[in-house]
């Protein structure tokens, strides 16, 4: 997995987007689009469910894939995205400031 937290953020953003659409588009969760394997996606979805970040997703231990049953983010899921957005902004500002002062 490229970076677990980057992948988690990406999956949550995708669920957020799809929760406002007419139909759930499973093809957006394919390996080529997300750049993670089906197994990695299952791990992320399982953890997101256990941590209460999402609802409306059913995982089946004996099978690969998942079933979308009106998936959406919980308040905790929105907080996760919001907090990570602030961290990314802070990182980018710190990186820019470091560029201004090469000795830092």
């Amino acid at each position: 997995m490229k970076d677990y937290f980057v992948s988690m953020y990406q999956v949550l953003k995708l669920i957020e987007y799809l929760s406002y659409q007419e139909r759930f588009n499973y093809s957006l969760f394919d390996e080529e689009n997300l750049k993670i394997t089906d197994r990695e996606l299952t791990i992320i979805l399982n953890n997101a469910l256990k941590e209460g970040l999402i609802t409306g997703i059913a995982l089946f231990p004996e099978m690969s894939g998942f079933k979308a049953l009106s998936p959406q983010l919980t308040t905790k899921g929105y907080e996760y995205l919001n907090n990570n957005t602030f961290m990314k902004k802070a990182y980018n500002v710190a990186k820019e400031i470091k560029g201004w002062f090469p000795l830092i």
Side-chain angles (χ1 to χ4, degrees):
M1 188 176 307
K2 56 185 175 188
D3 181 315
Y4 175 81
F5 295 105
V6 170
S7 297
M8 173 69 88
Y9 185 88
Q10 182 180 18
V11 168
L12 291 179
K13 285 298 284 183
L14 191 51
I15 290 171
E16 176 190 29
Y17 167 75
L18 290 171
S19 69
Y20 296 106
Q21 305 306 307
E22 292 288 323
R23 290 188 41 223
F24 190 86
N25 186 349
Y26 285 95
S27 68
L28 295 176
F29 286 86
D30 70 9
E31 196 170 323
E32 187 176 310
N33 186 45
L34 290 176
K35 307 294 188 251
I36 58 175
T37 66
D38 287 339
R39 177 71 181 133
E40 292 166 335
L41 176 60
T42 300
I43 290 168
I44 289 171
L45 290 173
N46 189 43
N47 289 340
L49 284 165
K50 285 181 181 177
E51 294 169 18
L53 302 175
I54 59 173
T55 61
I57 298 279
L59 296 172
F60 305 100
E62 306 83 30
M63 302 163 47
S64 65
F66 64 95
K67 178 72 176 158
L69 311 164
S70 186
Q72 58 191 350
L73 296 181
T74 63
T75 300
K76 195 172 181 180
Y78 281 106
E79 287 173 352
Y80 181 95
L81 290 179
N82 189 46
N83 291 340
N84 280 294
T85 299
F86 288 132
M87 287 191 320
K88 286 182 181 193
K89 286 179 184 177
Y91 171 79
N92 289 335
V93 168
K95 196 165 107 174
E96 183 177 339
I97 290 171
K98 186 175 181 180
W100 296 342
F101 304 101
L103 298 177
I104 296 179

